Amino acid sequence: MAHSIAPSLLAADFGNLNEAISEVNNSAASLLHLDVMDGQFVPNISFGIPVIESVARVCTKPLDIHLMIVEPDRYLSTYAMFKPEYITVHLEASTHLHRSIHKIKELGCKAGVAINPHTPIELLKDTIKDIDLVCVMSVNPGFGGQSFIDNTYTKVTNLKKLIAETNSNALIEIDGGVTIANAEILSRCGADILVAGSSVFRAPSISEAITALHG
Ligand code: DX5
Ligand code: ZN
């Protein structure tokens, strides 16, 4: 099954963002994945509104904003101003997930929900029909360059079944530790979008790495 690639800018050289983004623009990538970390929901701080504002000006690919922050509702309308394709909030950070999903849609974006490695897919059962994208974390969020957690294969297979059984249109995104060694099998398990940071931006050629991940 065909899958798309969303390079994660977190692994790019922040001193040379223009060049990194123009390589992504000229690649087969479908989205640019942007990791917002607040130092509270995850033990790391990445970048936020001013950086994304600049990225949005030069990036020609649709943006995929992954909010690893507490109280994400406070910032949804701000991130929606950059007209991303997706805004993703974490299930674990959302007290009123149903409300957050609908708020994202009202703001004109597609709604993503991310789940940490310890979070069972069953917790998505009552919202899956409203969700456009489930981001399955295949590492504990907070850092790039971590090793892929193998339980993700089973999780994706079961999530694919849940999506089919409920007639949901949600796509499955995998985030963390994606390489050419696991891309194909993830795709066979039912993944639609693979996020890849280190395996793209630490490669000798960004666009060739993106092509290779398509299999
Ligand atoms: C982790 C982030 C990921 C990260 C992936 O918290 O959500 O998007 O950038 O990086 P790699 O592909 O290096 O694991
Ligand atoms: Zn991410």
Side-chain angles (χ1 to χ4, degrees):
M1 194 181 281
H3 56 270
S4 334
I5 303 298
S8 165
L9 199 67
L10 188 67
D13 175 1
F14 287 179
N16 220 340
L17 275 188
N18 239 352
E19 201 180 309
I21 292 165
S22 82
E23 280 216 49
V24 171
N25 287 344
N26 295 319
S27 76
S30 298
L31 298 158
L32 179 66
H33 185 86
L34 297 169
D35 288 307
V36 178
M37 303 179 182
D38 66 354
Q40 283 197 74
F41 180 68
V42 289
N44 195 11
I45 296 175
S46 57
F47 49 76
I49 295 154
V51 171
I52 295 187
E53 192 176 6
S54 305
V55 169
R57 269 203 301 271
V58 290
C59 185
T60 56
K61 301 284 181 183
L63 303 180
D64 174 29
I65 300 183
H66 178 190
L67 297 179
M68 282 162 275
I69 62 174
V70 297
E71 297 186 55
D73 291 10
R74 290 176 60 196
Y75 298 97
L76 295 178
S77 49
T78 307
Y79 285 106
M81 288 194 316
F82 308 124
K83 305 210 177 311
E85 178 95 356
Y86 294 102
I87 298 180
T88 295
V89 297
H90 265 264
L91 180 148
E92 302 84 1
S94 306
T95 315
H96 302 286
L97 184 64
H98 182 270
R99 178 184 289 149
S100 307
I101 291 166
H102 287 277
K103 174 91 182 161
I104 294 170
K105 290 180 167 186
E106 276 163 29
L107 290 165
C109 304
K110 291 181 183 157
V113 174
I115 54 171
N116 280 338
H118 73 275
T119 301
I121 58 151
E122 284 72 20
L123 292 184
L124 293 167
K125 210 160 65 72
D126 291 335
T127 44
I128 193 72
K129 282 201 78 151
D130 300 326
I131 298 174
D132 296 303
L133 178 80
V134 178
C135 175
V136 177
M137 291 308 303
S138 38
V139 298
N140 287 295
F143 302 92
Q146 303 182 80
S147 305
F148 182 85
I149 297 172
D150 282 340
N151 182 52
T152 309
Y153 299 124
T154 314
K155 214 165 171 176
V156 175
T157 307
N158 292 337
L159 176 58
K160 195 74 180 176
K161 276 190 215 145
L162 176 68
I163 288 172
E165 282 162 13
T166 52
N167 287 320
S168 162
N169 293 317
L171 298 182
I172 301 178
E173 177 176 75
I174 310 298
D175 190 5
V178 170
T179 65
I180 43 170
N182 55 28
E184 201 48 50
I185 172 156
L186 283 167
S187 181
R188 269 188 270 126
C189 290
D192 301 291
I193 301 169
L194 303 180
V195 174
S198 316
S199 61
V200 165
F201 289 103
R202 303 287 152 92
S205 157
I206 292 173
S207 57
E208 281 174 23
I210 292 168
T211 302
L213 283 166
H214 281 92

